Amino acid sequence: FRLGFVAVVLASGTLWAGNASGHADHGGGGTARPAPISITQGSFYPMSDEGAAVFGSARLVRSEDSSELAVHVRGLAEETKYPMHLHEGSCGEMGPHYRHDPQGAAEPPNELWPTSDPEDPEAGVTTDSGGVANGKGTAPWTARPEASAVMIHNHDTGMMVACADLS
């Protein structure tokens, strides 16, 4: 008989995946996604009066050859576009945008920006009529450890609205 697949997130945030017998699961066909090498996540909290009602979460999955950032946010203004970016350091430090190549362009694919529009990596997230936004961004590189915060900005002023520290 066949034992089921098991995935365990260790206390370090590392994912171990295999079948119940302890052997790696090699699957059977299809294109396998690379196994995560770390998963960090955090909850959004306000950074300004505009973000006073904001709550939600961010999750960064690092694999050997990519990074994926997913966000879910509530309490923003209705039907509004918000730029959102992966940043260096903590929310309190207000570090710069995280860039894969520190001397490279300040835009995707050198930066990781979640978006509500999978066809446009620079679109930002757009809220619905209830002030809810979901977004995801993927980059073809593994984010270094200093990529540790996700900031939501006001589209017009660039000021921070809310932030999530990833740990």
Side-chain angles (χ1 to χ4, degrees):
F1 76 19
R2 181 176 159 98
L3 297 173
F5 184 81
V6 176
V8 177
V9 177
L10 303 173
S12 66
T14 304
L15 180 79
W16 174 86
N19 62 35
S21 68
H23 298 288
D25 185 38
H26 299 288
T31 303
R33 292 180 62 170
I37 56 175
S38 76
I39 299 172
T40 54
Q41 53 195 2
S43 297
F44 283 103
Y45 61 88
M47 296 291 285
S48 68
D49 289 343
E50 182 180 355
V54 170
F55 64 98
S57 61
R59 178 177 141 146
L60 177 62
V61 178
R62 294 171 172 98
S63 64
E64 287 185 25
D65 60 359
S66 65
S67 298
E68 180 179 280
L69 180 59
V71 296
H72 173 76
V73 187
R74 302 175 77 78
L76 294 166
E78 300 173 354
E79 299 178 4
T80 301
K81 178 180 173 179
Y82 288 90
M84 194 178 294
H85 316 284
L86 188 58
H87 279 251
E88 292 183 19
S90 70
C91 294
E93 294 170 337
M94 297 177 160
H97 288 197
Y98 174 83
R99 293 183 185 169
H100 178 62
D101 173 357
Q103 304 305 313
E107 60 187 24
N110 195 42
E111 291 190 0
L112 183 49
W113 301 359
T115 178
S116 300
D117 180 355
E119 301 299 316
D120 185 356
E122 297 181 32
V125 295
T126 301
T127 57
D128 63 16
S129 61
V132 176
N134 292 294
K136 183 165 62 169
T138 303
W141 37 260
T142 304
R144 296 181 303 277
E146 61 265 27
S148 56
V150 179
M151 293 189 189
I152 303 171
H153 298 273
N154 176 290
H155 183 266
D156 297 322
T157 67
M159 299 299 293
M160 285 186 289
V161 174
C163 189
D165 285 313
L166 303 173
S167 59

